[in-house]
Amino acid sequence: MHDAEAISSNNIINIGDYVIIQRHGYFKLHQLSQKCDLMLGKDKVNICSIVGKQFWTMFKMIPAKSGKREFYLEVCSKCESIPEVVMKEISSGMDNRNISDDGKSQLLTTEDIVGLRERGLSAQNIVDKLIQNSTTFKEKTEYSQEKYLKKKEKKYFEYIVVRKPTLRLIADIFYNRDPFKILGLRYDTLSQILSLGNIQHNGTYLLFESGTQALVGASILNCLSEDGTLINLSLVNQPPKQAILGMNFNKKQINRLLTVKISDFLKALRGDSLTINQKTESQDYKDNDSENELQIDERESALEESSRKRKLNESNHLNNKKPKWAEEFEKAVDVVKERSVDGLIIACKEYPLNILENLITYLKPSKQIVLYSLHREPLIDIYVEMKKRKDLIAIHITESWLRTYQILPDRTHPDVNMSASGGHLLIATKVV
């Protein structure tokens, strides 16, 4: 009973949650705030009405009374397809041989069409006016008419669906926005990393990731149970975590992620003095000096002296409390020293050879190494170095390649526009 209630509560949209707004074929990752305003292209949509509703609820964009391209949302049960409605009432021609594309078939000017949208007309009304003012629409074949209507429906679509963030959707959104901001990492390559890295729910994994918006980290974290641990190494204490935040992980899942700075991490594993302890000691000396100064000054009144002591005690308490990143640092070091790691994954824009050589020592035997790079040249250099070692076997370089298909009656074929490459993977297994 409690599990069912927990599942249902996770499906409710709340302020602060990340949601995915789908409008026809367009997807946008958005964090709900008190303001509840969202820009979809040039349309400003007030999405306050989605709070408290369940994911996968469909809404219709209703024009606001302001007369501008501003909308609010109303819950609806179904989506009315413009091609299905219009095709029932319009006749079609036999062929398109007498139709010439001279740009004069549409009587409405661009300013007129923009004016229709500015006045807040519905998508159905705008398409009806476009058809009425077209001199060639009725002469087109049924296929051409349907193609035209689908194009206009995509442009003036007024239904949105609020979806729950998933790794597949987030990876698609990031990739379609700008592939180079995530190093060209596609969702199919992401699945290959999880499979070739042999990610288990109770494993401990080392990840060095940069330039991918934490997509790999979110994918591994999504696979882990309460016994699993992910140590996320980076060049700074707090790297970007957009994909992790977008997944709406609960507190238990976030606690399985330990984010540490790689330079301090390697020093601690080698037994060098920790930067954290040095900072703590210097802070203690400062606190002692300030306390001595207060004791020397005996001319202050009793009230002022007690007030200063109280403030000093509060500051000492705050200074003695370690920041979260320092606690994660110590925990990560202890975990690696106690039981090593079950996998090493590297996906970064830096040259990864030095990173690999420093981290491979802490990998258990018979465990996998996975390196991702948008370009194959760095992986080829590392492949040559790996071949020289006697503790690595099954070394391979692969390239992820994906072909998507259009599935329609009598028109099934590969999509015209496809991504050329999803990056390259270098995999290996460590032995004794």
Side-chain angles (χ1 to χ4, degrees):
M1 184 67 180
H2 294 291
D3 293 339
E5 292 177 355
I7 293 173
S8 61
S9 64
N10 290 335
N11 290 327
I12 300 298
I13 303 170
N14 299 306
I15 294 292
D17 289 346
Y18 279 85
V19 298
I20 290 180
I21 306 295
Q22 178 184 357
R23 183 184 184 186
H24 204 263
Y26 174 76
F27 296 85
K28 184 172 185 177
L29 181 66
H30 179 73
Q31 185 181 22
L32 282 180
S33 62
Q34 295 290 345
K35 192 176 180 181
C36 288
D37 286 334
L38 173 68
M39 294 301 298
L40 291 176
K42 296 182 180 180
D43 298 332
K44 184 178 181 180
V45 185
N46 186 289
I47 58 175
C48 290
S49 55
I50 75 174
V51 178
K53 301 293 191 300
Q54 289 189 341
F55 285 103
W56 285 99
T57 304
M58 182 180 292
F59 298 87
K60 185 175 181 179
M61 297 168 55
I62 308 298
K65 295 181 180 180
S66 62
K68 300 179 181 179
R69 295 178 64 170
E70 297 181 359
F71 301 85
Y72 63 93
L73 300 179
E74 284 187 358
V75 179
C76 61
S77 57
K78 63 178 182 178
C79 172
E80 295 181 355
S81 175
I82 292 178
E84 292 180 2
V85 175
V86 175
M87 294 299 290
K88 294 178 182 179
E89 305 172 355
I90 300 293
S91 58
S92 58
M94 296 297 295
D95 54 50
N96 298 331
R97 70 178 68 183
N98 297 322
I99 299 176
S100 58
D101 187 12
D102 54 3
K104 300 178 181 180
S105 59
Q106 181 55 250
L107 302 180
L108 292 177
T109 63
T110 304
E111 291 76 12
D112 295 334
I113 298 173
V114 172
L116 295 177
R117 301 195 72 179
E118 295 291 345
R119 279 155 45 193
L121 267 66
S122 65
Q124 183 67 55
N125 292 335
I126 294 176
V127 173
D128 287 342
K129 289 189 176 294
L130 291 174
I131 293 174
Q132 292 171 9
N133 289 275
S134 175
T135 58
T136 59
F137 183 80
K138 293 182 179 180
E139 300 176 6
K140 293 181 179 181
T141 62
E142 183 178 353
Y143 169 73
S144 298
Q145 289 177 344
E146 183 180 0
K147 186 176 180 180
Y148 174 84
L149 292 173
K150 285 183 177 180
K151 182 180 179 181
K152 296 304 176 185
E153 181 184 44
K154 182 179 179 180
K155 186 175 182 179
Y156 303 111
F157 200 70
E158 55 187 0
Y159 296 91
I160 69 171
V161 178
V162 183
R163 299 181 60 173
K164 196 170 186 177
T166 62
L167 288 170
R168 167 73 177 266
L169 288 176
I170 292 177
D172 267 344
I173 291 171
F174 288 170
Y175 190 87
N176 293 330
R177 185 193 302 166
D178 189 350
F180 295 103
K181 285 189 176 181
I182 56 171
L183 302 182
L185 184 60
R186 271 197 324 245
Y187 61 86
D188 58 306
T189 310
L190 202 57
S191 64
Q192 289 291 314
I193 292 175
L194 298 179
S195 176
L196 297 172
N198 193 25
I199 305 300
Q200 304 291 327
H201 70 96
N202 58 350
T204 301
Y205 300 96
L206 272 179
L207 168 67
F208 183 84
E209 181 179 21
S210 67
T212 60
Q213 301 292 325
L215 270 176
V216 181
S219 304
I220 299 175
L221 194 60
N222 191 54
C223 300
L224 299 181
S225 65
E226 295 181 358
D227 299 326
T229 303
L230 173 62
I231 302 174
N232 185 20
L233 306 175
S234 65
L235 300 177
V236 293
N237 287 325
Q238 296 296 331
K241 298 180 181 179
Q242 184 60 40
I244 295 175
L245 296 174
M247 283 295 293
N248 294 325
F249 288 127
N250 57 40
K251 189 175 181 180
K252 289 183 178 179
Q253 290 173 301
I254 292 296
N255 289 338
R256 299 167 198 155
L257 174 66
L258 304 176
T259 303
V260 297
K261 190 175 180 180
I262 186 170
S263 57
D264 293 339
F265 181 73
L266 292 175
K267 287 180 182 178
L269 291 177
R270 289 194 296 261
D272 297 343
S273 58
L274 300 182
T275 308
I276 299 175
N277 292 339
Q278 293 172 0
K279 289 181 179 179
T280 306
E281 291 174 1
S282 62
Q283 187 65 42
D284 291 341
Y285 289 134
K286 291 180 182 179
D287 294 339
N288 292 333
D289 293 340
S290 61
E291 188 175 358
N292 292 333
E293 290 176 2
L294 286 174
Q295 292 175 356
I296 293 172
D297 191 2
E298 299 176 350
R299 291 174 298 178
E300 296 293 333
S301 64
L303 181 62
E304 292 178 350
E305 187 175 353
S306 62
S307 176
R308 290 191 180 188
K309 286 184 178 180
R310 184 174 67 254
K311 291 181 179 179
L312 179 63
N313 291 333
E314 291 177 356
S315 64
N316 286 339
H317 176 71
L318 293 175
N319 290 330
N320 290 332
K321 185 179 179 181
K322 293 181 181 179
K324 184 179 179 181
W325 63 266
E327 295 178 356
E328 292 182 356
F329 178 88
E330 293 181 353
K331 186 177 178 181
V333 172
D334 293 339
V335 168
V336 175
K337 285 184 177 180
E338 288 176 5
R339 57 177 184 266
S340 296
V341 295
D342 300 302
L344 174 59
I345 299 95
I346 300 175
C348 61
K349 54 188 177 182
E350 293 82 14
Y351 190 73
L353 180 58
N354 291 336
I355 300 170
L356 174 66
E357 291 176 343
N358 281 282
L359 296 178
I360 197 172
T361 308
Y362 310 104
L363 183 66
K364 294 179 182 177
S366 302
K367 300 301 180 180
Q368 280 68 39
I369 302 169
V370 180
L371 283 81
Y372 170 80
S373 175
L374 177 60
H375 309 287
R376 65 181 178 181
E377 285 76 14
L379 299 186
I380 292 176
D381 294 341
I382 298 175
Y383 177 88
V384 174
E385 295 298 324
M386 282 185 169
K387 281 292 187 179
K388 299 177 182 178
R389 300 177 64 114
K390 297 182 179 180
D391 57 348
L392 295 177
I393 62 171
I395 308 170
H396 302 286
I397 295 180
T398 64
E399 179 181 5
S400 299
W401 191 76
L402 178 71
R403 166 168 279 182
T404 55
Y405 282 80
Q406 169 187 287
I407 307 298
L408 290 172
D410 300 325
R411 299 196 299 275
T412 298
H413 58 75
D415 285 340
V416 177
N417 296 321
M418 294 185 297
S419 58
S421 174
H424 302 76
L425 294 175
L426 172 60
I427 55 176
T429 302
K430 183 180 178 181
V431 295
V432 179

